[in-house]
């Protein structure tokens, strides 16, 4: 039956990781998938996570199922991290959270929920966005549309065009916004722009769906939540798809969450009852281990302090690599200005490399970056690989 199936192309991001692993070149550099590397080029397990695992191993009593919506304490901690303890949304219990397998799982559960209950609603995302966004919502049967994000240079947010695009969207449609560290561009709205976006979204009666995969990688845990908190207005609906893959380094444990904020507590419970059906018919209930780690670290003051320090160190190393890349490119290819990288946030930068240059980087220099704009994972740069990397970029330019 399967003889005539067409061969699907490799995934544009995760497929690169597989190709990289097979590349025999000892000098290869991976700036593809959004995975943090330390100065030695390793993806470390955080010490706070290791300590939580040690405690869990010593105290865990059983391997029973979690509730369909996941680890109860984890769900509560997620809400506190998103909105801040004591926020009106928490006090009024009009938010419900379901633990999901990663941020991707959260997006998929959200899309199933939306398609079933709001079948005519379309999903609008920025152009560009994370390569998997459109695919996830389309797979659930939702019609996907785009709104403008960058200006013609590809290096600056075109806020006027973005607002004009959003103003055309009919009431009841869903608008996907990146809370911080926009993937793939690293370009975020300012706080003042977020205030304007929140005004527009609510005035137009659009449903905001916020993808929050990088909390703490931009300016800090609180600062990175500022845009989301602008959108969180009294009595207004909101969806948040969040992830601990990056800020806890728990990539393979698949730890994410879908948070639905409704107009009141009763509506929120109704929404959760429907989300439970979506989860039950997808993967029944979520895996325990990663959520138990996050719940423990966020609840224990000493572990939490340690984690915040580790997160700050990752963030600062990325900022340092941005500055070093800009300076090294300036010395190797002064005719090309990369200073725009310094002000961008999070792991990624949209380098503007053409698909041909991206292919050449890989074929001739064993440097792996994502095509369609040349997304570079700055978190994969180290002081050791910076020289060869910038030589390779200068050569293809
Ligand atoms: C990325 O954008 O590289 C990460 O979010 C990993 C992924 O799943 O694509």
């Amino acid at each position: 039956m399967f003889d005539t199936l067409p061969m699907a192309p490799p995934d544009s991001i995760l497929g690169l990781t597989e190709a990289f692993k097979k590349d025999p070149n000892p000098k290869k550099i991976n700036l593809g998938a959004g995975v943090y590397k330390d100065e030695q080029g390793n993806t470390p397990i955080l010490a706070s996570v290791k300590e939580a695992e040690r405690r869990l191993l010593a105290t865990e009593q059983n391997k029973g199922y979690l509730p369909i919506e996941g680890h109860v304490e984890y769900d509560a901690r997620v809400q506190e991290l998103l909105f801040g303890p004591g926020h009106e949304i928490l006090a009024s219990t009009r938010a419900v959270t379901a633990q999901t397998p990663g941020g991707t799982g959260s997006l998929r559960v959200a899309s199933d929920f939306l398609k079933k209950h709001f079948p005519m609603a379309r999903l609008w995302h920025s152009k560009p966005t994370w390569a998997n966004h459109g695919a996830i919502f389309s797979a659930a049967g939702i019609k996907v549309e785009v709104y403008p994000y960058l200006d013609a240079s590809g290096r600056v947010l075109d806020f006027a065009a973005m607002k004009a695009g959003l103003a055309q969207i009919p009431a009841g449609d869903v608008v996907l916004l990146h809370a911080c560290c926009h993937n793939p561009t690293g370009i975020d709205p300012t706080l003042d722009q977020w205030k304007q976006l929140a005004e527009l979204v609510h005035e137009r009666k659009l449903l905001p769906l916020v993808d929050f995969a990088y909390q703490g990688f931009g300016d800090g845990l609180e600062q990175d939540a500022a845009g989301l908190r602008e959108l969180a207005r009294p009595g207004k609906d909101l969806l948040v798809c969040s992830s601990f893959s990056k800020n806890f380094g728990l990539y393979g444990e698949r730890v994410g969450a879908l948070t639905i904020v409704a107009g009141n507590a009763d509506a929120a419970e109704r929404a959760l009852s429907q989300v439970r059906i979506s989860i039950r018919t997808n993967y029944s209930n979520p895996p325990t281990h990663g959520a138990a780690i996050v719940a423990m670290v966020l609840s224990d003051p000493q572990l939490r302090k340690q984690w915040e320090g580790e997160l700050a160190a990752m963030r600062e190393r990325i900022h340092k690599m941005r500055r070093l890349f800009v300076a090294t490119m300036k010395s190797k290819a002064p005719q090309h200005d990369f200073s725009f990288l310094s002000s961008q946030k999070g792991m990624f930068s949209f380098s503007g490399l053409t698909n041909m240059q991206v292919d050449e980087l890989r074929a001739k220099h064993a440097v792996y970056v994502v095509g369609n704009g040349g997304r570079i994972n700055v978190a994969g740069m180290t002081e050791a690989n910076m020289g060869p990397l910038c030589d390779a970029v200068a050569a293809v330019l």
Side-chain angles (χ1 to χ4, degrees):
M1 285 171 70
F2 309 136
D3 291 353
T4 54
L5 284 183
M7 181 63 85
D11 183 79
S12 63
I13 297 176
L14 299 185
L16 272 187
T17 310
E18 297 312 309
F20 178 82
K21 281 188 202 152
K22 288 188 193 136
D23 190 331
N25 188 332
K27 298 198 174 129
K28 62 189 179 179
I29 299 173
N30 189 3
L31 306 183
V35 174
Y36 176 81
K37 303 263 176 54
D38 64 15
E39 200 41 54
Q40 285 68 46
N42 301 317
T43 302
I45 300 178
L46 301 185
S48 51
V49 166
K50 266 286 182 213
E51 174 57 19
E53 286 188 309
R54 194 188 61 73
R55 293 187 198 174
L56 282 172
L57 193 63
T59 57
E60 202 174 40
Q61 296 296 328
N62 64 68
K63 294 282 184 191
Y65 292 125
L66 285 178
I68 293 173
E69 65 268 33
H71 194 289
V72 176
E73 194 181 350
Y74 168 89
D75 290 345
R77 296 286 93 82
V78 166
Q79 292 186 10
E80 281 174 11
L81 208 55
L82 295 179
F83 301 108
H87 193 281
E88 168 275 322
I89 285 178
L90 274 64
S92 61
T93 65
R94 63 184 185 96
V96 285
T97 296
Q99 177 201 333
T100 55
T104 306
S106 154
L107 287 161
R108 182 58 203 247
V109 172
S111 56
D112 283 349
F113 167 77
L114 290 169
K115 179 64 190 173
K116 186 163 172 196
H117 301 287
F118 309 96
M120 301 314 288
R122 287 175 294 172
L123 181 286
W124 296 73
H125 65 65
S126 60
K127 183 174 183 245
T129 194
W130 179 46
N132 209 17
H133 272 148
I136 294 170
F137 288 95
S138 301
I142 295 180
K143 191 157 190 309
V144 175
E145 308 275 2
V146 294
Y147 60 82
Y149 198 69
L150 298 178
D151 75 356
S153 76
R155 292 171 181 181
V156 181
L157 175 65
D158 189 341
F159 190 61
M162 180 185 184
K163 271 189 20 178
L166 294 178
Q168 303 299 316
I169 302 177
D173 274 4
V174 186
V175 178
L176 193 162
L177 295 154
H178 299 226
C180 70
C181 308
H182 183 270
N183 180 2
T185 67
I187 300 170
D188 292 333
T190 62
L191 185 55
D192 178 60
Q193 289 170 336
W194 271 113
K195 288 182 198 291
Q196 295 182 50
L197 288 175
E199 200 56 42
L200 184 63
V201 161
H202 291 307
E203 195 180 286
R204 302 277 319 155
K205 297 190 169 26
L206 309 178
L207 176 61
L209 185 156
V210 179
D211 189 336
F212 206 177
Y214 296 90
Q215 187 171 6
F217 270 81
D219 294 318
L221 284 169
E222 290 297 300
Q223 296 90 324
D224 292 352
L228 169 67
R229 292 176 193 174
E230 286 301 324
L231 288 164
R233 302 230 169 143
K236 301 290 185 191
D237 302 324
L238 168 68
L239 268 64
V240 189
C241 297
S242 56
S243 166
F244 293 107
S245 293
K246 325 283 173 172
N247 55 14
F248 267 79
L250 284 170
Y251 306 91
E253 298 293 357
R254 313 305 300 133
V255 204
L258 169 61
T259 297
I260 300 184
V261 180
N264 57 61
D266 177 60
E269 275 310 314
R270 288 167 195 272
L272 179 62
S273 72
Q274 296 298 338
V275 164
R276 283 195 191 102
I277 294 174
S278 165
I279 291 174
R280 180 67 171 143
T281 52
N282 266 293
Y283 51 86
S284 190
N285 49 71
T288 311
H289 186 66
I293 295 169
V294 171
M296 182 180 285
V297 172
L298 292 181
S299 309
D300 179 300
Q302 179 222 333
L303 286 181
R304 174 151 182 157
K305 192 161 174 262
Q306 186 178 19
W307 167 66
E308 288 191 18
E310 294 184 288
L311 175 59
M314 291 196 279
R315 178 173 64 240
E316 280 153 21
R317 202 193 81 76
I318 297 174
H319 285 320
K320 192 171 154 201
M321 288 304 106
R322 285 187 180 278
R323 292 193 295 272
L324 188 59
F325 180 80
V326 173
T328 314
M329 283 311 300
K330 198 170 175 189
S331 70
K332 297 201 184 269
Q335 69 280 27
H336 297 283
D337 179 16
F338 279 95
S339 57
F340 61 92
L341 252 92
S342 318
S343 57
Q344 296 173 345
K345 301 282 162 66
M347 283 190 177
F348 304 119
S349 186
F350 222 35
S351 67
L353 291 168
T354 64
N355 281 347
M356 238 163 103
Q357 290 165 332
V358 168
D359 290 346
E360 196 176 325
L361 268 181
R362 178 170 159 183
K364 291 203 184 144
H365 306 276
V367 172
Y368 288 70
V369 308
V370 180
N372 289 332
R375 189 193 78 171
I376 292 180
N377 176 16
V378 182
M381 297 179 188
T382 63
E383 285 185 27
N385 71 21
M386 194 61 81
L389 166 67
C390 291
D391 282 335
V393 173
V396 304
L397 283 172

